[in-house]
Amino acid sequence: MAQLPPGIRFITSFSQDQWYRAFIFTLTFFLYASFHLSRKPISIVKGELHKHCAASHEVELSSYREYAAQIQPVKKPSNASQCGWEPFDKNNYKQLLGALDYSFLCAYAIGMYLSGVIGERLPIRYYLTVGMLASGLFTAMFGLGYFYNIHNLWFYIMAQIANGLVQTTGWPSVVTCIGNWFGKGRRGLIMGIWNSHTSVGNILGSLIAAYWVSTCWGLSFVMPGVIIAVMGIFCFLFLIEHPKDVSCSSTPSSDPEMQHLLIDSENCTASPNSSSAVTGEGRHGTSAISFLGALRIPGVIEFSLCLLFAKLVSYTFLFWLPLYITNVEHLDAKRAGDLSTLFDVGGIFGGILAGLISDRLEKRASTCGMMLLLAAPTLYMFSAVSKMGLEATVVMLLISGALVNGPYALITTAVSADLGTHKSLKGNARALSTVTAIIDGTGSVGAALGPLLAGLISPSGWNNVFYMLMVADACALLFLLRLIQKELRCNADHTLFKEH
């Protein structure tokens, strides 16, 4: 009998369960990456919606437009202002651009609280598919304003509000699905790697939007809209909500040493049943958890409030970093958009590092607190060093991205899944969607406030924006202090118990 080829031996070395889990991991990764891909264009296009019209820059901008027209001719709307796109060509452009951010993020924050409750009661595949198709429509709708020469502010605000509402279908759905397929063991590392979809989506969204921003910014929205709609079709065709739907085994049991990652609110006892993301009874025989019931799970309120401030910082960078780079480094919108992707590259490593450390130390809150403590002085250094040249900006973008996005990634993934499978739920996996929505919805309140505050504060100087971000980091750390103290105390008690 002939020996099997190496490739076939590799394929057969994995079980059916492992192949299905790898497939769901990859599919949900790209599904949610497309959500962030469709959110990123607005931050890239800001530099084109409003241009600095100082005499010293007019010649440079004019020559660049002439060159761009030669390599990719697009008919420019007849009433486009030399200072940008009306109504964003006025002196109050920062407030107007901030209103666009706030419209999207405020709608997203409100919708997120409802999304988790609705998502528990509907099949994930259908719910997510409809949300992605609608997201594609409203993302493209913003870009159509360019082609149809629309200069009404309310058109763009309504497009942002509608997009913010439908995009709330994404996060609770994918976290619930990935939580069903993966157990508690090494959850921090697995979800740290998986959560890099956020940064991958931001990077791809930046590159796609930047490709057209200086010549035809409408396509910077239309193309991401098409991509997320196509991914919605893939979701409908291939997403498997639960391993039992394809006769796979239940989620693998966790490592015994990982059990005390979920700590009871009154004592330091481990949760023997918390590792099970779902059980047959929990999936079919248990009613959905109430909103107040989810709030009573130990740690939900603290991590939610921490995420509010952590996400405030992260989303301020997401929506305002390209414009900041344009102003400080004096780069055009395309180059500033390309450079801003380094923040997300740092975020990939930060999320993976946070998951790895939290698994090794078995302390979620302490890991977040350590990174938040380092992030505040790093932000101050970024504001100072970024004015010294392009090389210094590159280094600080990578470091800041890792420290800012690390806690944000850990809380929205591993921590949410931990709390959604807490022992007090008694195996009710339907609670995971609601818990995830509460945590991310509260964080989205901060995501809405951050860009708005940046738009209001930035006219007085970018340094004041960075001071605001440092205060937000300190507040995020403050809300975790009780949980950090409990983790350290329980760790000491556990050590004493082992010695005796």
Side-chain angles (χ1 to χ4, degrees):
M1 185 175 179
Q3 187 179 20
L4 288 174
I8 299 300
R9 289 205 306 273
F10 175 79
I11 293 173
T12 56
S13 66
F14 297 97
S15 67
Q16 174 183 282
D17 290 11
Q18 290 172 321
W19 278 114
Y20 269 118
R21 285 193 171 86
F23 174 74
I24 294 301
F25 182 96
T26 305
L27 179 61
T28 53
F29 180 98
F30 285 107
L31 289 180
Y32 203 72
S34 67
F35 275 93
H36 268 264
L37 181 149
S38 67
R39 296 176 196 173
K40 189 64 179 178
I42 185 64
S43 67
I44 304 299
V45 174
K46 280 178 179 176
E48 189 70 16
L49 294 178
H50 181 89
K51 301 176 182 178
H52 294 284
C53 300
S56 60
H57 295 294
E58 286 181 353
V59 176
E60 180 183 349
L61 289 171
S62 176
S63 62
Y64 180 82
R65 283 195 295 268
E66 291 174 1
Y67 170 71
Q70 292 175 4
I71 62 173
Q72 189 174 345
V74 176
K75 184 178 179 182
K76 201 75 173 177
S78 57
N79 59 342
S81 168
Q82 290 183 344
C83 296
W85 186 267
E86 188 183 349
F88 307 103
D89 56 344
K90 305 298 189 297
N91 290 332
N92 64 338
Y93 72 98
K94 289 184 178 179
Q95 287 79 6
L96 297 182
L97 294 175
L100 291 182
D101 298 339
Y102 187 72
S103 301
F104 174 90
L105 294 168
C106 189
Y108 185 86
I110 294 172
M112 184 60 74
Y113 288 110
L114 301 175
S115 180
V117 176
I118 296 172
E120 283 186 4
R121 293 159 174 81
L122 296 174
I124 288 177
R125 182 165 62 93
Y126 297 140
Y127 186 56
L128 188 54
T129 298
V130 171
M132 296 183 77
L133 293 175
S135 294
L137 172 65
F138 292 121
T139 300
M141 176 179 163
F142 195 104
L144 292 177
Y146 174 89
F147 297 103
Y148 288 96
N149 211 17
I150 298 174
H151 297 274
N152 188 314
L153 177 64
W154 281 104
F155 170 82
Y156 298 104
I157 287 180
M158 292 308 298
Q160 288 287 85
I161 291 174
N163 200 17
L165 288 173
V166 297
Q167 289 234 346
T168 60
T169 60
W171 190 243
S173 299
V174 294
V175 171
T176 299
C177 186
I178 204 76
N180 288 343
W181 279 89
F182 291 90
K184 186 94 172 44
R186 294 191 298 172
R187 177 178 277 168
L189 176 59
I190 291 172
M191 287 198 159
I193 297 172
W194 178 73
N195 192 66
S196 63
H197 55 50
T198 298
S199 297
V200 170
N202 289 341
I203 291 170
L204 292 176
S206 297
L207 296 176
I208 292 171
Y211 183 79
W212 282 289
V213 64
S214 299
T215 54
C216 181
W217 64 258
L219 288 176
S220 296
F221 290 91
V222 172
M223 294 309 297
V226 171
I227 290 172
I228 190 174
V230 170
M231 291 304 298
I233 297 174
F234 273 90
C235 172
F236 178 78
L237 294 175
F238 298 109
L239 185 67
I240 306 168
E241 178 180 347
H242 194 275
K244 291 184 179 179
D245 295 337
V246 287
S247 301
C248 285
S249 62
S250 300
T251 52
S253 59
S254 67
D255 301 330
E257 62 186 20
M258 296 294 295
Q259 292 288 346
H260 64 278
L261 274 171
L262 291 179
I263 300 172
D264 188 83
S265 60
E266 300 300 328
N267 52 58
C268 296
T269 58
S271 167
N273 296 320
S274 64
S275 64
S276 177
V278 71
T279 64
E281 179 183 354
R283 189 179 177 216
H284 300 290
T286 309
S287 60
I289 191 173
S290 67
F291 185 86
L292 292 177
L295 284 178
R296 285 194 289 267
I297 299 172
V300 166
I301 293 177
E302 289 92 336
F303 276 113
S304 296
L305 293 174
C306 173
L307 185 63
L308 187 152
F309 291 100
K311 208 166 181 179
L312 183 154
V313 178
S314 181
Y315 267 67
T316 301
F317 273 94
L318 175 68
F319 282 89
W320 285 93
L321 182 58
L323 186 62
Y324 171 76
I325 295 174
T326 299
N327 291 345
V328 174
E329 299 291 344
H330 304 295
L331 301 176
D332 59 67
K334 182 182 186 306
R335 291 183 64 194
D338 292 342
L339 187 61
S340 69
T341 61
L342 292 175
F343 182 83
D344 295 298
V345 173
I348 293 175
F349 292 104
I352 296 173
L353 184 64
L356 184 63
I357 293 174
S358 69
D359 281 348
R360 182 64 60 88
L361 299 180
E362 304 172 8
K363 296 179 179 64
R364 304 286 197 222
S366 300
T367 302
C368 290
M370 178 176 59
M371 298 188 82
L372 289 169
L373 188 63
L374 294 173
T378 302
L379 291 174
Y380 178 79
M381 291 175 60
F382 180 83
S383 66
V385 173
S386 60
K387 300 171 185 176
M388 298 180 181
L390 194 59
E391 295 79 7
T393 301
V394 168
V395 175
M396 292 309 301
L397 278 172
L398 292 170
I399 298 174
S400 300
L403 293 176
V404 167
N405 285 337
Y408 162 39
L410 187 63
I411 293 173
T412 53
T413 54
V415 169
S416 296
D418 288 350
L419 295 172
T421 55
H422 192 270
K423 71 172 185 178
S424 63
L425 299 174
K426 300 178 181 178
N428 180 8
R430 300 180 69 183
L432 181 54
S433 181
T434 298
V435 170
T436 300
I438 289 174
I439 293 176
D440 199 52
T442 305
S444 298
V445 173
L449 288 175
L452 175 67
L453 292 174
L456 296 174
I457 296 173
S458 57
S460 65
W462 286 106
N463 281 341
N464 293 330
V465 175
F466 279 95
Y467 294 146
M468 179 266 290
L469 297 179
M470 285 184 276
V471 170
D473 255 325
C475 292
L477 177 59
L478 185 65
F479 282 109
L480 284 185
L481 288 180
R482 190 181 72 86
L483 294 179
I484 293 173
Q485 181 184 20
K486 184 182 297 183
E487 284 183 347
L488 296 176
R489 176 169 53 84
C490 290
N491 184 67
D493 292 346
H494 180 69
T495 303
L496 286 173
F497 178 78
K498 288 175 66 177
E499 289 177 353
H500 292 287

